[in-house]
Amino acid sequence: MESTLQGKNGIIPIKLNAAVLKNDQDEPIGGVVSFRDITFNNKIQNQINSSSQFLGIIGKNKKMREIFNLIMEISESNATVFIKSETGTGKELVAEAIYKTSQRKNKKFVKINCSVLQPTLLASELFGHSKGAFTDAVKDRIGRFEYAEGGTIFLDEISEISYDMQSQLLRILQEGTFERLGESFARKVNVRIIAATNKNVEELMNQGKIRDDLYYRLNVVPLEIPPLRERKEDIPLLINHFIKEFSLL
């Protein structure tokens, strides 16, 4: 439930959670009450209701508002998010909005496009490598997962990852561990993953190009951004936005 507290700078909106503690005989022996400051959440919710912008995303279409509300609903969660949408719909903007409203917003946000690197280079970028792991590996190097420790990593075009590398990514999702290239011991990592693709994932699974178990681990919170042709009422908003933006140049 929601309530308020008197703080030194005024009234603070809070969200209360209560739970009853029971013994082995299922008898109540106490309780726990926790509360959380929701000032930021309320500010964002008011923005959703009154503005055509949500953390840099333009739109008042019903489907877009549903996405904005979903982002706020999962703001306390560390669940993996899978964005499945066409090219140019704003997957990176949505990923950034998820990060900015999350409990990890003060940690790093690391982005990588999986489609622009060869498999060996991508493995090194994601997991790092040890000296001598391959010809040009002249020193140890951390990967993006280690660099993003405690934060969030956005894997765009994840469907381009090789089948072999998918097992390494699955290991991070299941166990929170990985190995650098050229090493034989596991390293721990605590990173939230947001993945995205513009491909038909179900079709790729049927073709054996994407592991079923990886997909189900990634697809904890599915999110699909509608293309502009399905939200034409947002076109005037986008036009006005870009007119204002470019008029300042």
Side-chain angles (χ1 to χ4, degrees):
M1 62 173 290
E2 294 186 5
S3 185
T4 57
L5 282 179
Q6 177 66 51
K8 64 178 181 179
N9 297 319
I11 301 297
I12 302 171
I14 61 170
K15 186 171 184 179
L16 287 168
N17 290 293
V20 177
L21 300 178
K22 297 183 178 181
N23 59 20
D24 294 338
Q25 287 73 46
D26 202 33
E27 298 170 336
I29 57 173
V32 176
V33 177
S34 63
F35 58 88
R36 181 175 60 86
D37 184 346
I38 57 172
T39 303
F40 177 73
N41 287 35
N42 287 352
K43 181 179 178 181
I44 295 297
Q45 188 62 53
N46 290 335
Q47 186 182 37
I48 293 174
N49 295 334
S50 62
S51 173
S52 60
Q53 276 205 51
F54 174 76
L55 297 174
I57 308 170
I58 310 297
K60 295 190 77 170
N61 170 270
K62 179 182 177 182
K63 290 183 179 179
M64 295 304 295
R65 286 182 175 277
E66 289 174 354
I67 290 174
F68 301 158
N69 284 315
L70 175 61
I71 290 172
M72 292 309 304
E73 285 176 12
I74 63 174
S75 62
E76 296 182 51
S77 171
N78 286 315
T80 304
V81 182
F82 199 1
I83 306 171
K84 294 175 282 186
S85 301
E86 297 178 15
T87 300
T89 52
K91 293 188 287 294
E92 186 173 323
L93 284 174
V94 169
E96 286 189 12
I98 295 169
Y99 159 70
K100 289 176 181 177
T101 56
S102 74
Q103 295 177 321
R104 297 175 182 249
K105 59 181 177 289
N106 296 321
K107 301 293 185 178
K108 293 184 179 69
F109 179 57
V110 178
K111 298 175 281 187
I112 186 166
N113 189 325
C114 301
S115 67
V116 299
L117 297 172
Q118 295 296 321
T120 303
L121 290 176
L122 181 59
S124 176
E125 281 293 318
L126 291 178
F127 310 117
H129 62 252
S130 62
K131 181 179 178 180
F134 48 88
T135 304
D136 296 325
V138 294
K139 61 180 180 179
D140 290 352
R141 182 178 186 276
I142 70 169
R144 301 291 182 94
F145 275 99
E146 280 184 88
Y147 179 71
E149 171 62 31
T152 304
I153 189 165
F154 174 51
L155 302 176
D156 197 8
E157 305 306 341
I158 197 168
S159 57
E160 302 300 321
I161 290 181
S162 69
Y163 198 86
D164 289 338
M165 199 185 305
Q166 289 176 34
S167 62
Q168 299 177 61
L169 186 57
L170 181 64
R171 181 178 177 182
I172 289 180
L173 288 164
Q174 290 178 329
E175 304 171 13
T177 63
F178 71 97
E179 293 179 8
R180 288 183 184 176
L181 293 180
E183 290 185 346
S184 58
F185 61 90
R187 295 175 180 267
K188 294 286 291 183
V189 68
N190 174 21
V191 173
R192 183 188 191 180
I193 296 176
I194 302 173
T197 184
N198 62 358
K199 302 288 181 62
N200 186 317
V201 182
E202 287 75 14
E203 187 175 299
L204 293 175
M205 288 168 59
N206 292 332
Q207 295 171 1
K209 295 181 179 179
I210 289 186
R211 295 175 58 120
D212 293 16
D213 46 4
L214 175 62
Y215 171 69
Y216 293 123
R217 285 281 182 175
L218 291 172
N219 199 43
V220 177
V221 180
L223 195 156
E224 188 166 349
I225 309 168
L228 194 55
R229 64 178 179 274
E230 294 180 7
R231 51 185 185 101
K232 294 180 181 179
E233 64 268 41
D234 287 343
I235 293 176
L237 302 174
L238 288 163
I239 291 173
N240 289 333
H241 170 76
F242 288 119
I243 288 175
K244 290 178 182 178
E245 182 174 309
F246 292 122
S247 67
L248 299 175
L249 298 179

